[in-house]
Amino acid sequence: DIVMTQSPDSLAVSLGERATINCKSSRNVLYSSNNKNYLAWYQQKPGQPPQLVLSWASIRESGVPDRFSGSGSGTDFTLTISSLQAEDVAVYYCQQHYTTPWTFGQGTKVEIK
Amino acid sequence: EVQLVESGGGLVQPGGSLRLSCVGSGCTFSGYWMHWVRQAPGKGLVWVSRIDSVGGTRSYADSVKGRFTISRDNAKDTVFLLMSSLRADDTAVYYCACEAPTGLFWGQGIHVTVSS
């Protein structure tokens, strides 16, 4: 199975400051035939289901604010919130859909400092 | 807009069975692969199973293989998860999710508690 490892497990950031979450895959999730990274990022607020934030490692879903961005390729990925807002408090998960079993990172809890 | 509504959860004794259902819309249901993902209390997300658009290909996590069965009825826009030989560590919120090309779109989840 592909193991997804996120860092840090939690972080506290002041309002308006940058938050950065890392995700490392134990195997490459870049599909060479279409040059796409099969890596998604989800946001889960308390008591709610996860919501897709970024697909293909860096493409924002419709309605997601442009302060959210993603980067990386192959095995190393980053989710950045450029200017943290109160509504961004949540747990963030990376997930690979390159192969089954699909696997998630352990989650990173983002809080306000 | 994707809408997925799970049902069938509840309290069950160890060794018992439960069947979860998920009715979907907005996914063009019959054209999409469907998944079940679970989340134990206070824990992260764990993929459980998926089924292709016509029910011919099914995959399972090792932890549920041989105990859980995924199926679907496209005429009723419904996917099922039959859970047997349930254990305490199956206690979780179970989410139904629709597989779009970009990722998963999720239902609200249903609680399953395995306890005597």
Side-chain angles (χ1 to χ4, degrees):
Chain A
D1 299 0
I2 298 179
V3 177
M4 308 298 292
T5 303
Q6 292 180 227
S7 61
D9 290 335
S10 65
L11 74 161
V13 175
S14 300
L15 287 172
E17 295 300 307
R18 179 185 301 264
T20 301
I21 302 169
N22 299 302
C23 173
K24 188 173 184 66
S25 170
S26 64
R27 286 166 44 193
N28 175 52
V29 298
L30 172 64
Y31 194 41
S32 57
S33 65
N34 60 10
N35 202 37
K36 286 187 173 182
N37 287 283
Y38 282 62
L39 188 285
W41 287 97
Y42 297 90
Q43 175 193 67
Q44 187 178 31
K45 297 181 178 180
Q48 297 185 19
Q51 183 173 355
L52 182 63
V53 177
L54 300 172
S55 59
W56 309 122
S58 62
I59 307 299
R60 276 190 304 276
E61 284 297 297
S62 174
V64 174
D66 61 6
R67 63 180 178 272
F68 288 86
S69 64
S71 63
S73 185
T75 61
D76 292 278
F77 302 91
T78 299
L79 168 68
T80 301
I81 308 172
S82 61
S83 175
L84 191 74
Q85 304 300 305
E87 61 265 31
D88 302 333
V89 168
V91 179
Y92 292 83
Y93 296 91
C94 62
Q95 178 237 330
Q96 65 81 20
H97 52 111
Y98 183 86
T99 187
T100 55
W102 289 17
T103 44
F104 295 85
Q106 79 276 19
T108 295
K109 187 173 185 179
V110 174
E111 300 174 304
I112 304 295
K113 185 186 291 182
Chain B
E1 182 187 356
V2 173
Q3 288 196 345
L4 299 168
V5 179
E6 300 94 339
S7 62
L11 175 64
V12 61
Q13 291 189 338
S17 299
L18 212 54
R19 190 179 80 157
L20 305 182
S21 301
C22 169
V23 179
S25 64
C27 261
T28 315
F29 190 86
S30 60
Y32 284 83
W33 293 53
M34 297 296 295
H35 296 246
W36 288 96
V37 179
R38 68 185 182 183
Q39 186 170 35
K43 302 296 185 183
L45 302 167
V46 177
W47 177 84
V48 172
S49 182
R50 79 168 177 173
I51 187 168
D52 72 1
S53 58
V54 296
T57 299
R58 311 172 194 205
S59 303
Y60 300 94
D62 285 346
S63 59
V64 306
K65 202 172 292 183
R67 300 188 300 123
F68 289 13
T69 302
I70 190 171
S71 61
R72 67 190 297 160
D73 183 344
N74 286 343
K76 297 181 179 179
D77 291 340
T78 303
V79 63
F80 304 97
L81 186 68
L82 175 61
M83 305 184 294
S84 304
S85 302
L86 283 162
R87 312 184 302 222
D89 62 359
D90 295 317
T91 295
V93 174
Y94 284 74
Y95 294 102
C96 163
C98 168
E99 180 186 329
T102 53
L104 295 175
F105 293 88
W106 306 66
Q108 289 298 309
I110 190 82
H111 287 264
V112 172
T113 302
V114 184
S115 175
S116 54

